Amino acid sequence: MKKSVWLSMVGISLLALGACGKEKEKETTTSKISESTIVSSEKTKETTESKEKKADVGNWQEINDQLKKTTEAKKLTVQHESKEAIVNEKDGVKVAINGYEYVEINDFSKDLRITFADQVEKGGVILVSTTLKNDSDKSVYTSAGYTISVTGFSSAISRNKSLLGTDVVDDLVKVKYEIKPKEEFTGYVALPVKPEAMEKIAENGEAMFELPGMYSKPESFKKEDAIIEPKESKISLSGEGAEKAEAQGAFYEDKATVENLGEKKMLIDQKDGKQAEFEGAKVTLDGYQITEFTPNEDEAPRYKNFDTGVIVLTAKVTIKNDGKETLNLGQTSATLTIGNKEKLMHENMLEINNDEELPTGKEGSKFIVFAMDKESYEKLYHDKEFKLDVSLYDQKFVRLTDNDDLAFTFTNK
């Protein structure tokens, strides 16, 4: 899925966000939003939770009225809404999605023809209630980009201020994206969804949402200046999507699960707990899952060499770094040897890849993924011994371990 470079911002630990999907049409009247943004100096208690329920999203009726007025739409229908918050915070700095709505507008202004794929009969809008707060004692900075990626739709869906006339990002622009100590910005952003993307949402019911990052220096989006790094979170955009997210909650967070690349069927869900150590780094094999994976229509061409179907083995490893140097957790990899003969390399296309650091004294987890042909697994591999050989890397992408330094064996018998 393509991302807008300047909008590639933050998400959180991979989460499946459930929400109600009741479709309803709202009778709207034209009324003016009193303010798009609230700036507050009130200090709030810091929380480490990544998800908060029943968040204060503001007045949806009011924002719907404004959207209908600005777009001159004759009809506005709410397709899905969520009041569960997505929160990412660190060191007194917080970015939050308080909630969101996915609405359909019909027969709108000709000025929006280009925005909605050269037509004005039908379009989607994702309305987002968001808060950016600085409870630290120094100013922080954000580019305040808001982007959504829909499975099967090639382009990123980005914030468009013309849908509301003014939004929270406009207020941040006025202060050059600076959030001063004890200051908070709360408001809305709107993202236009073209009919083609609406069709993909109808098929899959989910999307990946990118939240803004927070940085210690103005106009610098470098990793070393990030207080909160860019990450993504999955959101549901239909009742079916919410049900799917709930059903997928049991699956490990590889890319197939997190980015909704297809359907999984659980074959084996095995807890483990074996540990190994390398130069102060304690590595635990928490467990592994073996699933039958059916890629969706857009992903299917990538698996054309799997003639009889796809079997995915996802291993979860947790690393406690008590060594002397920072590790590159995101680059942690492994090989899988089956029956002392067949050796498989991990599948990058099914892993969540990043360059997340793991400093001394910290702990983190990585999901490592392998793909097998279904017939080979059922006839040759199923009852063999598996050996997972984990490799650790430093911040210069240099491999630190040799073969069998961090090896774990298991069997499905």
Side-chain angles (χ1 to χ4, degrees), residues 205-240:
E206 296 177 323
M208 294 297 293
F209 196 103
E210 295 181 347
L211 291 84
M214 292 287 212
Y215 300 84
S216 60
K217 298 179 181 179
E219 300 181 358
S220 174
F221 308 122
K222 297 179 181 178
K223 182 181 178 68
E224 56 265 31
D225 296 326
I227 301 172
I228 298 176
E229 294 187 54
K231 289 183 180 178
E232 295 181 317
S233 179
K234 181 189 289 186
I235 64 172
S236 300
L237 294 173
S238 72
E240 291 77 8

PDB file of all heavy atoms in Angstrom, residues 205-240:
ATOM      1  N   GLY A 205     -14.019  -3.753   4.939  1.00  0.00           N
ATOM      2  CA  GLY A 205     -14.501  -3.162   6.182  1.00  0.00           C
ATOM      3  C   GLY A 205     -13.436  -2.616   7.107  1.00  0.00           C
ATOM      4  O   GLY A 205     -13.731  -2.238   8.237  1.00  0.00           O
ATOM      5  N   GLU A 206     -12.181  -2.524   6.635  1.00  0.00           N
ATOM      6  CA  GLU A 206     -11.096  -2.085   7.499  1.00  0.00           C
ATOM      7  C   GLU A 206     -10.128  -1.182   6.754  1.00  0.00           C
ATOM      8  O   GLU A 206     -10.114  -1.142   5.525  1.00  0.00           O
ATOM      9  CB  GLU A 206     -10.328  -3.288   8.049  1.00  0.00           C
ATOM     10  CG  GLU A 206     -11.145  -4.187   8.946  1.00  0.00           C
ATOM     11  CD  GLU A 206     -10.357  -5.398   9.406  1.00  0.00           C
ATOM     12  OE1 GLU A 206      -9.561  -5.932   8.606  1.00  0.00           O
ATOM     13  OE2 GLU A 206     -10.541  -5.804  10.556  1.00  0.00           O
ATOM     14  N   ALA A 207      -9.320  -0.473   7.510  1.00  0.00           N
ATOM     15  CA  ALA A 207      -8.286   0.382   6.939  1.00  0.00           C
ATOM     16  C   ALA A 207      -7.176   0.553   7.961  1.00  0.00           C
ATOM     17  O   ALA A 207      -7.330   0.211   9.140  1.00  0.00           O
ATOM     18  CB  ALA A 207      -8.866   1.742   6.537  1.00  0.00           C
ATOM     19  N   MET A 208      -6.041   1.080   7.503  1.00  0.00           N
ATOM     20  CA  MET A 208      -4.934   1.396   8.403  1.00  0.00           C
ATOM     21  C   MET A 208      -4.856   2.913   8.551  1.00  0.00           C
ATOM     22  O   MET A 208      -4.838   3.647   7.557  1.00  0.00           O
ATOM     23  CB  MET A 208      -3.610   0.875   7.838  1.00  0.00           C
ATOM     24  CG  MET A 208      -3.529  -0.639   7.772  1.00  0.00           C
ATOM     25  SD  MET A 208      -3.627  -1.435   9.392  1.00  0.00           S
ATOM     26  CE  MET A 208      -2.084  -0.875  10.124  1.00  0.00           C
ATOM     27  N   PHE A 209      -4.841   3.368   9.807  1.00  0.00           N
ATOM     28  CA  PHE A 209      -4.829   4.802  10.094  1.00  0.00           C
ATOM     29  C   PHE A 209      -3.449   5.215  10.588  1.00  0.00           C
ATOM     30  O   PHE A 209      -2.874   4.567  11.460  1.00  0.00           O
ATOM     31  CB  PHE A 209      -5.870   5.140  11.159  1.00  0.00           C
ATOM     32  CG  PHE A 209      -6.203   6.605  11.236  1.00  0.00           C
ATOM     33  CD1 PHE A 209      -7.370   7.084  10.696  1.00  0.00           C
ATOM     34  CD2 PHE A 209      -5.336   7.494  11.842  1.00  0.00           C
ATOM     35  CE1 PHE A 209      -7.669   8.429  10.748  1.00  0.00           C
ATOM     36  CE2 PHE A 209      -5.617   8.843  11.898  1.00  0.00           C
ATOM     37  CZ  PHE A 209      -6.793   9.322  11.352  1.00  0.00           C
ATOM     38  N   GLU A 210      -2.930   6.304  10.028  1.00  0.00           N
ATOM     39  CA  GLU A 210      -1.642   6.850  10.463  1.00  0.00           C
ATOM     40  C   GLU A 210      -1.887   8.086  11.321  1.00  0.00           C
ATOM     41  O   GLU A 210      -2.550   9.018  10.887  1.00  0.00           O
ATOM     42  CB  GLU A 210      -0.771   7.236   9.269  1.00  0.00           C
ATOM     43  CG  GLU A 210      -0.349   6.065   8.411  1.00  0.00           C
ATOM     44  CD  GLU A 210       0.528   6.500   7.265  1.00  0.00           C
ATOM     45  OE1 GLU A 210       0.609   7.713   7.005  1.00  0.00           O
ATOM     46  OE2 GLU A 210       1.131   5.621   6.628  1.00  0.00           O
ATOM     47  N   LEU A 211      -1.352   8.084  12.518  1.00  0.00           N
ATOM     48  CA  LEU A 211      -1.454   9.231  13.402  1.00  0.00           C
ATOM     49  C   LEU A 211      -0.190  10.078  13.293  1.00  0.00           C
ATOM     50  O   LEU A 211       0.868   9.570  12.937  1.00  0.00           O
ATOM     51  CB  LEU A 211      -1.641   8.788  14.852  1.00  0.00           C
ATOM     52  CG  LEU A 211      -2.954   8.121  15.225  1.00  0.00           C
ATOM     53  CD1 LEU A 211      -2.922   6.630  14.894  1.00  0.00           C
ATOM     54  CD2 LEU A 211      -3.225   8.285  16.709  1.00  0.00           C
ATOM     55  N   PRO A 212      -0.277  11.367  13.616  1.00  0.00           N
ATOM     56  CA  PRO A 212       0.901  12.228  13.528  1.00  0.00           C
ATOM     57  C   PRO A 212       1.975  11.852  14.537  1.00  0.00           C
ATOM     58  O   PRO A 212       1.687  11.288  15.587  1.00  0.00           O
ATOM     59  CB  PRO A 212       0.351  13.622  13.839  1.00  0.00           C
ATOM     60  CG  PRO A 212      -1.107  13.522  13.614  1.00  0.00           C
ATOM     61  CD  PRO A 212      -1.482  12.118  13.959  1.00  0.00           C
ATOM     62  N   GLY A 213       3.205  12.239  14.219  1.00  0.00           N
ATOM     63  CA  GLY A 213       4.302  12.063  15.161  1.00  0.00           C
ATOM     64  C   GLY A 213       4.540  13.334  15.958  1.00  0.00           C
ATOM     65  O   GLY A 213       4.019  14.401  15.647  1.00  0.00           O
ATOM     66  N   MET A 214       5.321  13.226  16.999  1.00  0.00           N
ATOM     67  CA  MET A 214       5.712  14.374  17.830  1.00  0.00           C
ATOM     68  C   MET A 214       7.233  14.411  17.916  1.00  0.00           C
ATOM     69  O   MET A 214       7.872  13.380  18.164  1.00  0.00           O
ATOM     70  CB  MET A 214       5.110  14.253  19.226  1.00  0.00           C
ATOM     71  CG  MET A 214       3.597  14.395  19.265  1.00  0.00           C
ATOM     72  SD  MET A 214       3.083  16.103  19.006  1.00  0.00           S
ATOM     73  CE  MET A 214       1.598  16.143  20.016  1.00  0.00           C
ATOM     74  N   TYR A 215       7.791  15.606  17.742  1.00  0.00           N
ATOM     75  CA  TYR A 215       9.243  15.743  17.635  1.00  0.00           C
ATOM     76  C   TYR A 215       9.769  16.843  18.548  1.00  0.00           C
ATOM     77  O   TYR A 215       9.047  17.781  18.890  1.00  0.00           O
ATOM     78  CB  TYR A 215       9.630  16.023  16.180  1.00  0.00           C
ATOM     79  CG  TYR A 215       9.198  14.927  15.243  1.00  0.00           C
ATOM     80  CD1 TYR A 215       7.900  14.904  14.737  1.00  0.00           C
ATOM     81  CD2 TYR A 215      10.057  13.903  14.895  1.00  0.00           C
ATOM     82  CE1 TYR A 215       7.484  13.878  13.896  1.00  0.00           C
ATOM     83  CE2 TYR A 215       9.651  12.876  14.057  1.00  0.00           C
ATOM     84  CZ  TYR A 215       8.361  12.869  13.552  1.00  0.00           C
ATOM     85  OH  TYR A 215       7.944  11.858  12.742  1.00  0.00           O
ATOM     86  N   SER A 216      11.024  16.730  18.902  1.00  0.00           N
ATOM     87  CA  SER A 216      11.628  17.684  19.820  1.00  0.00           C
ATOM     88  C   SER A 216      12.143  18.941  19.135  1.00  0.00           C
ATOM     89  O   SER A 216      12.427  19.942  19.796  1.00  0.00           O
ATOM     90  CB  SER A 216      12.787  17.016  20.574  1.00  0.00           C
ATOM     91  OG  SER A 216      13.789  16.566  19.661  1.00  0.00           O
ATOM     92  N   LYS A 217      12.267  18.896  17.796  1.00  0.00           N
ATOM     93  CA  LYS A 217      12.786  20.038  17.047  1.00  0.00           C
ATOM     94  C   LYS A 217      11.801  20.452  15.963  1.00  0.00           C
ATOM     95  O   LYS A 217      11.126  19.606  15.388  1.00  0.00           O
ATOM     96  CB  LYS A 217      14.135  19.687  16.409  1.00  0.00           C
ATOM     97  CG  LYS A 217      15.238  19.352  17.395  1.00  0.00           C
ATOM     98  CD  LYS A 217      16.520  18.995  16.653  1.00  0.00           C
ATOM     99  CE  LYS A 217      17.629  18.622  17.630  1.00  0.00           C
ATOM    100  NZ  LYS A 217      18.885  18.250  16.912  1.00  0.00           N
ATOM    101  N   PRO A 218      11.728  21.751  15.653  1.00  0.00           N
ATOM    102  CA  PRO A 218      10.812  22.207  14.594  1.00  0.00           C
ATOM    103  C   PRO A 218      11.283  21.756  13.214  1.00  0.00           C
ATOM    104  O   PRO A 218      12.487  21.730  12.937  1.00  0.00           O
ATOM    105  CB  PRO A 218      10.854  23.737  14.719  1.00  0.00           C
ATOM    106  CG  PRO A 218      12.169  24.030  15.371  1.00  0.00           C
ATOM    107  CD  PRO A 218      12.439  22.871  16.294  1.00  0.00           C
ATOM    108  N   GLU A 219      10.317  21.357  12.390  1.00  0.00           N
ATOM    109  CA  GLU A 219      10.572  20.970  10.997  1.00  0.00           C
ATOM    110  C   GLU A 219      11.591  19.838  10.869  1.00  0.00           C
ATOM    111  O   GLU A 219      12.273  19.713   9.851  1.00  0.00           O
ATOM    112  CB  GLU A 219      11.029  22.182  10.181  1.00  0.00           C
ATOM    113  CG  GLU A 219      10.005  23.312  10.147  1.00  0.00           C
ATOM    114  CD  GLU A 219      10.459  24.487   9.315  1.00  0.00           C
ATOM    115  OE1 GLU A 219      11.592  24.441   8.785  1.00  0.00           O
ATOM    116  OE2 GLU A 219       9.681  25.454   9.187  1.00  0.00           O
ATOM    117  N   SER A 220      11.692  19.028  11.882  1.00  0.00           N
ATOM    118  CA  SER A 220      12.583  17.868  11.817  1.00  0.00           C
ATOM    119  C   SER A 220      11.782  16.617  12.118  1.00  0.00           C
ATOM    120  O   SER A 220      11.187  16.504  13.191  1.00  0.00           O
ATOM    121  CB  SER A 220      13.723  17.992  12.832  1.00  0.00           C
ATOM    122  OG  SER A 220      14.488  16.800  12.861  1.00  0.00           O
ATOM    123  N   PHE A 221      11.739  15.701  11.166  1.00  0.00           N
ATOM    124  CA  PHE A 221      10.996  14.468  11.343  1.00  0.00           C
ATOM    125  C   PHE A 221      11.940  13.268  11.340  1.00  0.00           C
ATOM    126  O   PHE A 221      11.588  12.177  10.909  1.00  0.00           O
ATOM    127  CB  PHE A 221       9.928  14.340  10.252  1.00  0.00           C
ATOM    128  CG  PHE A 221       9.072  15.579  10.153  1.00  0.00           C
ATOM    129  CD1 PHE A 221       8.982  16.284   8.961  1.00  0.00           C
ATOM    130  CD2 PHE A 221       8.374  16.049  11.255  1.00  0.00           C
ATOM    131  CE1 PHE A 221       8.214  17.425   8.876  1.00  0.00           C
ATOM    132  CE2 PHE A 221       7.599  17.185  11.183  1.00  0.00           C
ATOM    133  CZ  PHE A 221       7.511  17.883   9.991  1.00  0.00           C
ATOM    134  N   LYS A 222      13.150  13.502  11.830  1.00  0.00           N
ATOM    135  CA  LYS A 222      14.138  12.441  11.900  1.00  0.00           C
ATOM    136  C   LYS A 222      13.837  11.528  13.081  1.00  0.00           C
ATOM    137  O   LYS A 222      13.310  11.950  14.101  1.00  0.00           O
ATOM    138  CB  LYS A 222      15.541  13.026  12.041  1.00  0.00           C
ATOM    139  CG  LYS A 222      15.984  13.869  10.845  1.00  0.00           C
ATOM    140  CD  LYS A 222      17.380  14.437  11.094  1.00  0.00           C
ATOM    141  CE  LYS A 222      17.839  15.294   9.925  1.00  0.00           C
ATOM    142  NZ  LYS A 222      19.184  15.885  10.168  1.00  0.00           N
ATOM    143  N   LYS A 223      14.245  10.286  12.938  1.00  0.00           N
ATOM    144  CA  LYS A 223      14.024   9.301  13.987  1.00  0.00           C
ATOM    145  C   LYS A 223      14.643   9.736  15.307  1.00  0.00           C
ATOM    146  O   LYS A 223      14.044   9.590  16.386  1.00  0.00           O
ATOM    147  CB  LYS A 223      14.609   7.955  13.546  1.00  0.00           C
ATOM    148  CG  LYS A 223      14.401   6.817  14.536  1.00  0.00           C
ATOM    149  CD  LYS A 223      15.039   5.557  14.004  1.00  0.00           C
ATOM    150  CE  LYS A 223      14.898   4.398  14.978  1.00  0.00           C
ATOM    151  NZ  LYS A 223      13.511   3.963  15.118  1.00  0.00           N
ATOM    152  N   GLU A 224      15.830  10.305  15.232  1.00  0.00           N
ATOM    153  CA  GLU A 224      16.521  10.676  16.469  1.00  0.00           C
ATOM    154  C   GLU A 224      15.856  11.854  17.180  1.00  0.00           C
ATOM    155  O   GLU A 224      16.119  12.105  18.360  1.00  0.00           O
ATOM    156  CB  GLU A 224      18.001  10.999  16.191  1.00  0.00           C
ATOM    157  CG  GLU A 224      18.206  12.077  15.153  1.00  0.00           C
ATOM    158  CD  GLU A 224      18.438  11.507  13.760  1.00  0.00           C
ATOM    159  OE1 GLU A 224      17.894  10.415  13.468  1.00  0.00           O
ATOM    160  OE2 GLU A 224      19.163  12.156  12.988  1.00  0.00           O
ATOM    161  N   ASP A 225      15.005  12.591  16.477  1.00  0.00           N
ATOM    162  CA  ASP A 225      14.315  13.725  17.091  1.00  0.00           C
ATOM    163  C   ASP A 225      12.875  13.392  17.489  1.00  0.00           C
ATOM    164  O   ASP A 225      12.155  14.257  17.997  1.00  0.00           O
ATOM    165  CB  ASP A 225      14.295  14.917  16.126  1.00  0.00           C
ATOM    166  CG  ASP A 225      15.697  15.444  15.837  1.00  0.00           C
ATOM    167  OD1 ASP A 225      16.537  15.387  16.752  1.00  0.00           O
ATOM    168  OD2 ASP A 225      15.947  15.901  14.700  1.00  0.00           O
ATOM    169  N   ALA A 226      12.467  12.153  17.262  1.00  0.00           N
ATOM    170  CA  ALA A 226      11.083  11.769  17.547  1.00  0.00           C
ATOM    171  C   ALA A 226      10.873  11.481  19.029  1.00  0.00           C
ATOM    172  O   ALA A 226      11.634  10.732  19.635  1.00  0.00           O
ATOM    173  CB  ALA A 226      10.706  10.551  16.723  1.00  0.00           C
ATOM    174  N   ILE A 227       9.831  12.090  19.591  1.00  0.00           N
ATOM    175  CA  ILE A 227       9.384  11.732  20.930  1.00  0.00           C
ATOM    176  C   ILE A 227       8.387  10.583  20.819  1.00  0.00           C
ATOM    177  O   ILE A 227       8.437   9.616  21.565  1.00  0.00           O
ATOM    178  CB  ILE A 227       8.733  12.943  21.628  1.00  0.00           C
ATOM    179  CG1 ILE A 227       9.730  14.099  21.712  1.00  0.00           C
ATOM    180  CG2 ILE A 227       8.234  12.555  23.022  1.00  0.00           C
ATOM    181  CD1 ILE A 227       9.128  15.386  22.208  1.00  0.00           C
ATOM    182  N   ILE A 228       7.482  10.714  19.863  1.00  0.00           N
ATOM    183  CA  ILE A 228       6.570   9.634  19.492  1.00  0.00           C
ATOM    184  C   ILE A 228       6.810   9.332  18.022  1.00  0.00           C
ATOM    185  O   ILE A 228       6.659  10.209  17.176  1.00  0.00           O
ATOM    186  CB  ILE A 228       5.093  10.028  19.710  1.00  0.00           C
ATOM    187  CG1 ILE A 228       4.829  10.311  21.179  1.00  0.00           C
ATOM    188  CG2 ILE A 228       4.170   8.937  19.209  1.00  0.00           C
ATOM    189  CD1 ILE A 228       3.426  10.791  21.463  1.00  0.00           C
ATOM    190  N   GLU A 229       7.201   8.115  17.706  1.00  0.00           N
ATOM    191  CA  GLU A 229       7.536   7.757  16.331  1.00  0.00           C
ATOM    192  C   GLU A 229       6.300   7.406  15.522  1.00  0.00           C
ATOM    193  O   GLU A 229       5.279   7.000  16.078  1.00  0.00           O
ATOM    194  CB  GLU A 229       8.498   6.568  16.325  1.00  0.00           C
ATOM    195  CG  GLU A 229       9.851   6.890  16.917  1.00  0.00           C
ATOM    196  CD  GLU A 229      10.822   5.743  16.724  1.00  0.00           C
ATOM    197  OE1 GLU A 229      10.993   5.300  15.571  1.00  0.00           O
ATOM    198  OE2 GLU A 229      11.394   5.279  17.718  1.00  0.00           O
ATOM    199  N   PRO A 230       6.386   7.551  14.200  1.00  0.00           N
ATOM    200  CA  PRO A 230       5.262   7.180  13.328  1.00  0.00           C
ATOM    201  C   PRO A 230       4.914   5.700  13.431  1.00  0.00           C
ATOM    202  O   PRO A 230       5.796   4.849  13.377  1.00  0.00           O
ATOM    203  CB  PRO A 230       5.790   7.522  11.925  1.00  0.00           C
ATOM    204  CG  PRO A 230       6.835   8.554  12.154  1.00  0.00           C
ATOM    205  CD  PRO A 230       7.493   8.161  13.440  1.00  0.00           C
ATOM    206  N   LYS A 231       3.635   5.423  13.620  1.00  0.00           N
ATOM    207  CA  LYS A 231       3.125   4.060  13.620  1.00  0.00           C
ATOM    208  C   LYS A 231       1.709   4.070  13.059  1.00  0.00           C
ATOM    209  O   LYS A 231       1.153   5.119  12.782  1.00  0.00           O
ATOM    210  CB  LYS A 231       3.134   3.468  15.025  1.00  0.00           C
ATOM    211  CG  LYS A 231       4.525   3.159  15.553  1.00  0.00           C
ATOM    212  CD  LYS A 231       4.450   2.505  16.922  1.00  0.00           C
ATOM    213  CE  LYS A 231       5.829   2.196  17.445  1.00  0.00           C
ATOM    214  NZ  LYS A 231       5.789   1.605  18.807  1.00  0.00           N
ATOM    215  N   GLU A 232       1.147   2.892  12.907  1.00  0.00           N
ATOM    216  CA  GLU A 232      -0.187   2.763  12.331  1.00  0.00           C
ATOM    217  C   GLU A 232      -1.101   1.967  13.257  1.00  0.00           C
ATOM    218  O   GLU A 232      -0.635   1.227  14.111  1.00  0.00           O
ATOM    219  CB  GLU A 232      -0.135   2.041  10.980  1.00  0.00           C
ATOM    220  CG  GLU A 232       0.616   2.791   9.902  1.00  0.00           C
ATOM    221  CD  GLU A 232       0.617   2.025   8.587  1.00  0.00           C
ATOM    222  OE1 GLU A 232       0.822   0.798   8.634  1.00  0.00           O
ATOM    223  OE2 GLU A 232       0.415   2.646   7.544  1.00  0.00           O
ATOM    224  N   SER A 233      -2.400   2.141  13.046  1.00  0.00           N
ATOM    225  CA  SER A 233      -3.380   1.357  13.784  1.00  0.00           C
ATOM    226  C   SER A 233      -4.504   0.963  12.842  1.00  0.00           C
ATOM    227  O   SER A 233      -4.933   1.752  11.994  1.00  0.00           O
ATOM    228  CB  SER A 233      -3.942   2.168  14.953  1.00  0.00           C
ATOM    229  OG  SER A 233      -4.903   1.414  15.663  1.00  0.00           O
ATOM    230  N   LYS A 234      -4.969  -0.265  12.994  1.00  0.00           N
ATOM    231  CA  LYS A 234      -6.082  -0.724  12.171  1.00  0.00           C
ATOM    232  C   LYS A 234      -7.395  -0.186  12.721  1.00  0.00           C
ATOM    233  O   LYS A 234      -7.604  -0.167  13.937  1.00  0.00           O
ATOM    234  CB  LYS A 234      -6.138  -2.249  12.147  1.00  0.00           C
ATOM    235  CG  LYS A 234      -7.267  -2.810  11.268  1.00  0.00           C
ATOM    236  CD  LYS A 234      -7.423  -4.309  11.448  1.00  0.00           C
ATOM    237  CE  LYS A 234      -6.269  -5.058  10.843  1.00  0.00           C
ATOM    238  NZ  LYS A 234      -6.480  -6.534  10.885  1.00  0.00           N
ATOM    239  N   ILE A 235      -8.279   0.267  11.840  1.00  0.00           N
ATOM    240  CA  ILE A 235      -9.603   0.711  12.244  1.00  0.00           C
ATOM    241  C   ILE A 235     -10.658  -0.019  11.431  1.00  0.00           C
ATOM    242  O   ILE A 235     -10.413  -0.454  10.314  1.00  0.00           O
ATOM    243  CB  ILE A 235      -9.789   2.237  12.084  1.00  0.00           C
ATOM    244  CG1 ILE A 235      -9.691   2.656  10.609  1.00  0.00           C
ATOM    245  CG2 ILE A 235      -8.774   2.997  12.924  1.00  0.00           C
ATOM    246  CD1 ILE A 235     -10.052   4.100  10.346  1.00  0.00           C
ATOM    247  N   SER A 236     -11.835  -0.145  12.004  1.00  0.00           N
ATOM    248  CA  SER A 236     -12.962  -0.761  11.314  1.00  0.00           C
ATOM    249  C   SER A 236     -13.828   0.331  10.712  1.00  0.00           C
ATOM    250  O   SER A 236     -14.041   1.381  11.321  1.00  0.00           O
ATOM    251  CB  SER A 236     -13.799  -1.595  12.285  1.00  0.00           C
ATOM    252  OG  SER A 236     -13.016  -2.617  12.867  1.00  0.00           O
ATOM    253  N   LEU A 237     -14.343   0.087   9.524  1.00  0.00           N
ATOM    254  CA  LEU A 237     -15.190   1.062   8.846  1.00  0.00           C
ATOM    255  C   LEU A 237     -16.553   0.487   8.496  1.00  0.00           C
ATOM    256  O   LEU A 237     -17.309   1.087   7.728  1.00  0.00           O
ATOM    257  CB  LEU A 237     -14.493   1.592   7.587  1.00  0.00           C
ATOM    258  CG  LEU A 237     -13.232   2.428   7.861  1.00  0.00           C
ATOM    259  CD1 LEU A 237     -12.517   2.770   6.560  1.00  0.00           C
ATOM    260  CD2 LEU A 237     -13.565   3.696   8.633  1.00  0.00           C
ATOM    261  N   SER A 238     -16.861  -0.679   9.045  1.00  0.00           N
ATOM    262  CA  SER A 238     -18.178  -1.288   8.847  1.00  0.00           C
ATOM    263  C   SER A 238     -18.420  -2.269   9.979  1.00  0.00           C
ATOM    264  O   SER A 238     -17.495  -2.637  10.708  1.00  0.00           O
ATOM    265  CB  SER A 238     -18.262  -2.022   7.504  1.00  0.00           C
ATOM    266  OG  SER A 238     -17.495  -3.214   7.540  1.00  0.00           O
ATOM    267  N   GLY A 239     -19.668  -2.700  10.116  1.00  0.00           N
ATOM    268  CA  GLY A 239     -19.984  -3.703  11.122  1.00  0.00           C
ATOM    269  C   GLY A 239     -19.257  -4.996  10.857  1.00  0.00           C
ATOM    270  O   GLY A 239     -18.769  -5.658  11.777  1.00  0.00           O
ATOM    271  N   GLU A 240     -19.145  -5.364   9.563  1.00  0.00           N
ATOM    272  CA  GLU A 240     -18.435  -6.585   9.201  1.00  0.00           C
ATOM    273  C   GLU A 240     -16.961  -6.459   9.564  1.00  0.00           C
ATOM    274  O   GLU A 240     -16.324  -7.410  10.009  1.00  0.00           O
ATOM    275  CB  GLU A 240     -18.585  -6.870   7.711  1.00  0.00           C
ATOM    276  CG  GLU A 240     -19.980  -7.266   7.274  1.00  0.00           C
ATOM    277  CD  GLU A 240     -20.934  -6.092   7.174  1.00  0.00           C
ATOM    278  OE1 GLU A 240     -20.469  -4.925   7.303  1.00  0.00           O
ATOM    279  OE2 GLU A 240     -22.133  -6.322   6.986  1.00  0.00           O
TER     280      GLU A 240
END
